[in-house]
Amino acid sequence: MTSVDSGPELGTAADVLAAHVRDVPDFPKPGVVFKDITPLLSTPAAFGVIIGALADLARERGATTIAGIEARGFLLAAPVADRIGASLVPVRKQGKLPGVTRTESYALEYGTATLEIHEDAVPAGERVLIVDDVLATGGTAVAAHNLLRGCGADVVGLAVLMELTFLSGRDRTGVLDVTSIMKL
């Protein structure tokens, strides 16, 4: 595991994160090693360090809104938004939001998936930081970015706990500025 070289705050957060992520082999299918953040979530001091690092990044980027991607991104985005006094936008799987929504489909290894946000989720010009747990192939991040830009938002970046570099997701995110606390 390597950490992002983006200053002492993220370096410290990377150490804390590495100590609080559990590998679960063969989940959700054989050959996959799932990165379980449950130990992080159940350790208040460690979780606070991670939320603090993400909040610092959001402040540095001038974020006024935090967008959390379903589902583990919600667990990170909500406390970050609260800590910096920003709005929170849930980026949901299709069919989970009432009212008028924007949708964006993206490719998966084995098919497609669709994300959505409320049509009026973000006022034009709002500075949005997208928060999620993992950057893998990049499809989810790109879909979230496209949804937010479609509302007129100024997307100031993507912040993730872990980046699975062997899947090259960063290469697929285009102009989206990506910050990962830990690279695997």
Side-chain angles (χ1 to χ4, degrees):
M1 293 184 235
T2 60
S3 64
V4 171
D5 185 20
S6 295
E9 296 83 12
L10 286 180
T12 301
D15 294 338
V16 168
L17 182 60
H20 291 87
V21 172
R22 174 177 45 211
D23 286 349
V24 180
D26 298 321
F27 183 82
K29 62 183 187 177
V32 173
V33 178
F34 183 78
K35 300 297 183 184
D36 181 16
I37 64 169
T38 304
L40 174 70
L41 299 173
S42 66
T43 310
F47 188 58
V49 168
I50 298 304
I51 296 306
L54 293 171
D56 288 346
L57 176 65
R59 281 188 204 96
E60 289 168 16
R61 299 277 174 89
T64 54
T65 296
I66 305 299
I69 299 175
E70 190 168 342
R72 294 193 303 176
F74 294 168
L75 301 171
L76 305 167
V80 169
D82 180 65
R83 194 167 289 190
I84 70 166
S87 299
L88 176 67
V89 172
V91 180
R92 303 287 320 257
K93 294 175 183 174
Q94 188 173 30
K96 302 287 185 174
L97 293 172
V100 180
T101 60
R102 291 179 168 274
T103 62
E104 180 83 17
S105 295
Y106 59 99
L108 299 168
E109 269 179 57
Y110 45 84
T112 61
T114 302
L115 292 178
E116 66 183 5
I117 61 174
H118 280 123
E119 179 72 33
D120 61 355
V122 182
E126 197 75 8
R127 296 179 56 80
V128 180
L129 177 67
I130 302 169
V131 175
D132 205 3
D133 63 326
V134 175
L135 174 62
T137 62
T140 306
V142 170
H145 178 252
N146 291 345
L147 283 169
L148 293 159
R149 295 277 300 154
C151 289
D154 176 13
V155 179
V156 298
L158 167 69
V160 296
L161 296 183
M162 297 168 277
E163 180 177 348
L164 306 180
T165 58
F166 61 93
L167 294 175
S168 304
R170 186 181 290 256
D171 296 341
R172 295 180 188 95
T173 60
V175 300
L176 188 56
D177 188 9
V178 178
T179 301
S180 52
I181 292 177
M182 186 169 66
K183 291 185 177 186
L184 305 169

